[in-house]
Amino acid sequence: MKWWLLAFITLASLFLCVAQDQRKQKGALLNVVECKAVRREDTILLDAKLRNDGEDTIRNVVLTIYFVGPGKKVVATRKTDIDATDIEPGGEAEISLETPFPARAIALRFETRTRMERWINLKNDGPFPIE
């Protein structure tokens, strides 16, 4: 009797683990469609476009920009709110930003959150070279 019970519990737990893996992951998903960073004297001009590839509307996005130096070490960080307060599924948001040039920065990469500090998955987050 104990063997049957042990075998049943083992098989049931295996089926439950497999069923959990097959669930579809939901949530916010942004994709960096294009990014161009140009150095002009002591400033960087950044133009980028983000697309909502998720199923939900994303609200109040905060973009964190990490300026990367040699050896892929972060030399400076900047945060900015995205002008579009709501990004509908399939919709895009454009970013135009001018910021002081951090010393030794050769590339940049992105991270996204909401104003409530909730993570937003970001595809193609960089690094993007500074021209």
Side-chain angles (χ1 to χ4, degrees):
M1 178 70 176
K2 291 180 184 178
W3 287 97
W4 285 102
L5 183 60
L6 181 63
F8 177 74
I9 291 173
T10 304
L11 287 174
S13 64
L14 286 175
F15 286 124
L16 289 175
C17 290
V18 171
Q20 278 183 336
D21 291 340
Q22 291 179 353
R23 283 189 287 171
K24 186 177 180 182
Q25 255 186 346
K26 290 185 178 180
L29 177 62
L30 285 174
N31 186 11
V32 179
V33 179
E34 60 185 64
C35 176
K36 184 175 183 178
V38 179
R39 180 179 177 185
R40 299 272 169 102
E41 297 177 16
D42 292 338
T43 61
I44 292 180
L45 302 175
L46 173 67
D47 291 316
K49 192 180 289 188
L50 301 175
R51 183 177 57 226
N52 182 356
D53 287 340
E55 297 175 357
D56 299 328
T57 300
I58 302 174
R59 292 179 173 79
N60 304 322
V61 177
V62 176
L63 181 70
T64 305
I65 305 165
Y66 294 105
F67 291 95
V68 181
K72 295 185 179 180
K73 292 186 179 181
V74 176
V75 295
T77 304
R78 305 277 191 274
K79 284 188 178 182
T80 184
D81 291 335
I82 294 180
D83 293 336
T85 56
D86 295 345
I87 307 172
E88 299 292 329
E92 294 184 347
E94 293 186 10
I95 303 159
S96 293
L97 177 69
E98 183 174 343
T99 184
F101 177 75
R104 301 184 328 241
I106 59 173
L108 54 90
R109 63 182 177 85
F110 299 116
E111 184 178 272
T112 50
R113 295 182 183 195
T114 64
R115 288 190 193 141
M116 304 298 288
E117 294 296 317
R118 227 176 99 199
W119 287 94
I120 299 173
N121 292 330
L122 184 64
K123 288 177 19 183
N124 191 21
D125 61 349
F128 299 100
I130 298 173
E131 300 172 3

